[in-house]
């Protein structure tokens, strides 16, 4: 697995005539957990939508596990695990049907046993035959995470995946993602406002501001901040308020 889990090169994207992202370059290596940070409306979801193929960029290139998302879409998406927003899940399907259809789309003969084991740990199995529109936000969030992990993807992409999760379930998901990154060299890209993930679980954090990647912190720098008694929230706030060079 020499190719990075994700390569984004010279990405330009927006809606209609409005440009949201300009000249974005981002890579997530195999085995790396990268957190995407930024204030509301900065373009995090737009970037993730481009990465997972929900939005066609106006320019640039995206590669997933070495496959071009534009030229080798099926091969690229087979290596992708995407946790969609809970409100995007099909309301009139059961949770079990969502898992089975998603597995079929990835050409799996059945839902991964490991994913079903995780469902048990998350106390989700009791909801397998419930319709999605009857599930709470947290329960739908669990389903979204389970869907993202189907088929042992080489790149996992999640957008605010911990919203609505109870603390015990959130801890299970964090440990699962960390284990996949460390043990299987899976690349993880997570957009979130939860700074504890940056401080305790991630390998790198990048800050998106005004349509461009403004700042990045690697694990060593985050640990050094903590050793000096500087909270990451303060470091991020300073980066957000510092004018671009």
């Amino acid at each position: 697995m020499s190719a990075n889990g994700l390569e984004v090169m010279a990405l330009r994207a927006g809606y209609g005539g409005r440009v949201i992202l300009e000249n974005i370059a981002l890579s997530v290596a195999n085995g790396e957990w990268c957190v995407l940070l930024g204030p509301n409306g900065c373009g995090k979801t737009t970037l993730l939508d481009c990465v997972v193929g929900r939005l066609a960029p106006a320019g640039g290139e995206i590669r997933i596990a070495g496959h071009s998302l534009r030229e080798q879409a099926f091969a690229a998406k087979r290596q992708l695990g995407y946790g969609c927003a809970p409100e995007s899940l099909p309301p009139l399907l059961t949770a079990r049907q969502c898992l089975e259809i998603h597995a079929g789309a990835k050409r799996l003969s059945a839902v991964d046993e490991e994913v079903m084991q995780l469902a048990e740990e998350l106390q989700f199995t009791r909801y397998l035959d419930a319709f999605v529109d009857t599930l709470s936000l947290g329960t739908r969030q669990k389903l979204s995470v389970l869907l993202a992990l189907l088929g042992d993807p080489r790149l996992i992409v999640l957008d605010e995946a911990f919203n609505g999760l109870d603390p015990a379930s959130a801890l299970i998901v964090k440990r699962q993602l960390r284990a996949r990154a460390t043990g299987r060299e899976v690349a993880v890209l997570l957009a979130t406002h939860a700074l504890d993930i940056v401080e305790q679980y991630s390998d790198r954090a990048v800050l998106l501001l005004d349509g461009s990647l403004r700042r990045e912190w690697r694990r060593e720098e985050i640990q050094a901040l903590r050793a000096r008694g500087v909270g990451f929230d303060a470091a991020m706030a300073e980066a957000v308020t510092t004018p671009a060079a």
Side-chain angles (χ1 to χ4, degrees):
M1 294 185 296
S2 58
N4 284 335
L6 174 66
E7 289 283 355
V8 178
M9 297 160 281
L11 182 71
R12 186 172 191 268
Y15 305 93
R18 183 186 175 202
V19 176
I20 305 295
L21 304 172
E22 185 71 74
N23 198 31
I24 297 292
L26 175 66
S27 65
V28 183
N30 300 319
E32 181 181 33
W33 183 341
C34 180
V35 173
L36 180 63
L37 302 170
N40 294 334
C42 71
K44 297 190 300 297
T45 296
T46 300
L47 176 53
L48 296 192
D49 281 348
C50 289
V51 167
V52 302
R54 287 168 54 90
L55 175 66
E61 175 73 7
I62 298 171
R63 301 184 72 84
I64 297 173
H67 301 286
S68 168
L69 187 58
R70 182 179 63 250
E71 298 175 0
Q72 303 164 293
F74 183 74
K77 290 182 179 180
R78 285 196 72 181
Q79 302 300 322
L80 170 69
Y82 171 51
C84 68
E87 61 269 20
S88 298
L89 292 168
L92 300 182
L93 294 181
T94 66
R96 190 188 305 276
Q97 288 170 330
C98 288
L99 288 164
E100 291 174 346
I101 290 171
H102 204 81
K106 286 201 163 188
R107 296 185 178 175
L108 304 176
S109 59
V111 175
D112 306 10
E113 182 177 341
E114 184 179 21
V115 169
M116 295 307 296
Q117 181 179 343
L118 178 59
E120 183 69 33
E121 293 177 28
L122 291 170
Q123 299 184 21
F124 181 83
T125 51
R126 72 185 75 172
Y127 301 107
L128 281 171
D129 294 310
F131 290 100
V132 168
D133 65 354
T134 68
L135 302 178
S136 69
L137 170 61
T139 305
R140 283 182 282 131
Q141 193 72 271
K142 293 176 185 179
L143 175 57
S144 184
V145 169
L146 294 170
L147 291 170
L149 299 182
L150 278 171
D152 198 17
R154 307 314 309 159
L155 171 67
I156 298 171
V157 177
L158 301 168
D159 191 357
E160 293 292 356
F162 298 96
N163 284 354
L165 289 185
D166 60 89
S169 296
L171 181 60
I172 290 170
V173 173
K174 291 170 188 175
R175 288 176 173 172
Q176 174 73 202
L177 294 174
R178 186 67 261 175
R180 286 186 178 237
T182 302
R184 304 185 191 180
E185 296 194 340
V186 173
V188 178
L189 178 61
L190 167 72
T192 187
H193 294 293
L195 298 187
D196 71 296
I197 297 174
V198 176
E199 295 178 324
Q200 299 180 39
Y201 293 94
S202 72
D203 300 294
R204 181 164 57 108
V206 295
L207 175 63
L208 183 64
L209 278 179
D210 301 324
S212 63
L213 292 175
R214 183 75 59 84
R215 177 78 159 84
E216 81 167 30
W217 297 265
R218 294 193 176 272
R219 178 181 289 181
E220 296 79 8
E221 187 174 358
I222 295 167
Q223 292 173 338
L225 288 170
R226 183 185 302 173
R228 298 201 310 269
V230 178
F232 185 76
D233 54 346
M236 181 178 165
E238 180 181 359
V240 168
T241 55
T242 300

